[in-house]
Amino acid sequence: MKFFHLSDLHIGLKLFNRDLREDQEYILQQITELAVKERPDAVLIAGDIYDKAVPSAEAVEVFDHFISRLSSALPDMAVMLISGNHDSGPRVNCFRSVLSRQNVYMIGLPPRTPEEHIEKAVLTDEYGDVNFYLLPFVRPSMVKQITGVDENGNNLSYNDTLRRLIEREEIDQSQRNVIVSHQFYLPSGTKAEEVERMDSEIRTVGNIDEVSADILGQFDYAALGHIHKPMKAGSEFCRYCGTPLACSVSEAGQQKGIIMVELGEKGRRKTTVLPLEPLRQVRVIRGDLAEVLKQECSDYVTVILTDKVDLDVLDMQDKIRSAFPNLLEIRRETLRRADYMRGYAAQEELDPFELCCAFLKETDDEEKELLRDVINTVQGVMQE
């Protein structure tokens, strides 16, 4: 049995207001091509299909095209996906029974009554059945009718909730079992603060959503979503695949990929990372202005300037934007104290328009013209 493990597509995401549709379509097409080449029996998507609970029409269209291309290219392949914390569970859950007859399992909601159980899809190969347990993102309040509450009537912790939810399933250990889940699982003995988190991830105060990954040890493979950097949650077969495309500058330089999992007879398993190459990289370029400009490219770039001398702000921004058409931001690593103090010492010597542009940083020609008009109007009123 061979399957792909994906997660955190975040379709519809904007990076510093840059529309990533073209980049996302490019990477999804690459995934489809890899599926055609490797011919997996299933593709698993472990949550956060969209970046927002109510995705735009364009985001839904991108996802629709992706699933349509996968299904058309490999009609016998199963597609299994769950909702993540960015998704709307009820929306993902729509047409669930209809889609399952088309070999597409979209599970948006966990079991919420004692009669319900974690959705299970079963595929069969020459070694027997493989059971895929599809568990969407869970908050304790969502499943308290099943898991109960503590002695004070309060919701259980995330850890106790997930443990009780999984333990109530009758998992046949003689068969091969896979879980698809979207939570913050921690390897046994690891503290939450020891796990590197990306800027694009939603974090809870005090890491109250942490769950010990030891509960996943009963599965032959745990396909996890939620953490954006590829990471093992205790073993080779319990892992986060990370995002297929960088969702923040903190992911610059990461090698993204798909985890291809192969299950032989019970106890025989193998994982392989299939690299993904984006249309544009996310890069951080650091140096003085002259050094930075030598590295011009069309990637998504954060520029960190190390110049210790004053720079003409407008000229500097124009040069950098010309060298990097997909510029995300400009940061100054070193600013002399005088740069701040002179504003107090000699305000009459400063150009208000230049000061406003430097403060706002990202302004186009139309905004500059409007800003200039506002400043002129204010100065005119002050002179009357």
Side-chain angles (χ1 to χ4, degrees), residues 145-384:
Q145 287 191 54
I146 298 174
T147 59
V149 294
D150 66 16
E151 64 274 10
N152 297 317
N154 299 318
N155 291 331
L156 297 176
S157 67
Y158 276 79
N159 185 64
D160 290 340
T161 294
L162 268 294
R163 186 173 297 278
R164 292 190 185 184
L165 199 61
I166 293 173
E167 286 178 345
R168 70 190 287 269
E169 300 298 320
E170 297 179 0
I171 299 175
D172 186 347
Q173 294 297 325
S174 68
Q175 296 184 339
R176 293 162 296 168
N177 301 291
V178 175
I179 188 169
V180 186
S181 182
H182 190 97
Q183 304 285 158
F184 180 30
Y185 290 103
L186 285 174
S188 181
T190 303
K191 296 180 180 179
E193 54 270 22
E194 296 172 356
V195 177
E196 184 182 9
R197 305 294 296 274
M198 301 296 101
D199 294 342
S200 50
E201 297 174 23
I202 292 178
R203 311 180 205 185
T204 59
V205 176
N207 294 303
I208 62 170
D209 60 339
E210 65 182 69
V211 181
S212 176
D214 61 359
I215 188 62
L216 304 175
Q218 59 192 304
F219 295 96
D220 295 271
Y221 186 80
L224 306 180
H226 192 45
I227 302 298
H228 289 184
K229 179 181 180 180
M231 185 185 90
K232 297 174 185 176
S235 82
E236 181 76 20
F237 307 105
C238 178
R239 57 200 291 179
Y240 291 96
C241 60
T243 57
L245 194 68
C247 294
S248 65
V249 174
S250 62
E251 296 166 61
Q254 285 183 14
Q255 176 62 67
K256 301 296 188 178
I258 302 165
I259 300 177
M260 182 172 70
V261 184
E262 297 173 84
L263 299 181
E265 59 187 328
K266 181 73 175 182
R268 291 183 58 201
R269 45 197 174 159
K270 175 186 176 184
T271 63
T272 307
V273 176
L274 305 178
L276 293 171
E277 296 301 328
L279 181 63
R280 304 174 185 90
Q281 296 282 354
V282 174
R283 300 176 58 194
V284 177
I285 297 179
R286 180 179 176 277
D288 61 37
L289 182 58
E291 293 170 338
V292 165
L293 295 176
K294 292 177 183 177
Q295 302 181 58
E296 60 180 298
C297 64
S298 60
D299 291 331
Y300 294 114
V301 171
T302 283
V303 170
I304 301 177
L305 292 175
T306 60
D307 297 82
K308 293 181 172 59
V309 297
D310 290 331
L311 295 172
D312 183 312
V313 174
L314 298 181
D315 179 63
M316 173 266 291
Q317 290 184 345
D318 288 342
K319 287 180 177 178
I320 291 177
R321 287 197 183 96
S322 178
F324 305 104
N326 290 305
L327 178 71
L328 298 177
E329 60 176 337
I330 302 171
R331 302 180 193 170
R332 293 294 301 274
E333 187 174 83
T334 305
L335 287 175
R336 295 187 306 165
R337 184 173 179 82
D339 289 336
Y340 298 102
M341 295 303 296
R342 71 172 189 160
Y344 297 98
Q347 290 187 17
E348 65 278 6
E349 298 178 5
L350 302 178
D351 178 6
F353 175 73
E354 181 182 340
L355 276 176
C356 290
C357 287
F359 176 76
L360 296 172
K361 294 183 180 179
E362 299 294 333
T363 51
D364 57 29
D365 292 340
E366 184 178 346
E367 290 168 334
K368 288 179 181 178
E369 201 58 42
L370 178 61
L371 179 60
R372 194 183 297 276
D373 184 61
V374 170
I375 292 172
N376 290 340
T377 302
V378 171
Q379 288 178 327
V381 170
M382 293 175 64
Q383 292 172 356
E384 291 180 355

Side-chain angles (χ1 to χ4, degrees), residues 9-12 20-28 245:
L9 305 183
H10 286 279
I11 298 173
L20 298 182
R21 175 168 181 165
E22 184 182 14
D23 302 84
Q24 291 182 325
E25 288 178 328
Y26 182 88
I27 214 74
L28 293 174
L245 194 68

Side-chain angles (χ1 to χ4, degrees), residues 38-68:
E38 297 292 343
R39 306 193 72 80
D41 299 288
V43 170
L44 315 182
I45 304 176
D48 281 354
I49 301 160
Y50 299 111
D51 191 55
K52 299 185 184 303
V54 183
S56 66
E58 291 79 8
V60 174
E61 183 179 32
V62 169
F63 182 62
D64 176 62
H65 287 169
F66 172 53
I67 297 298
S68 296

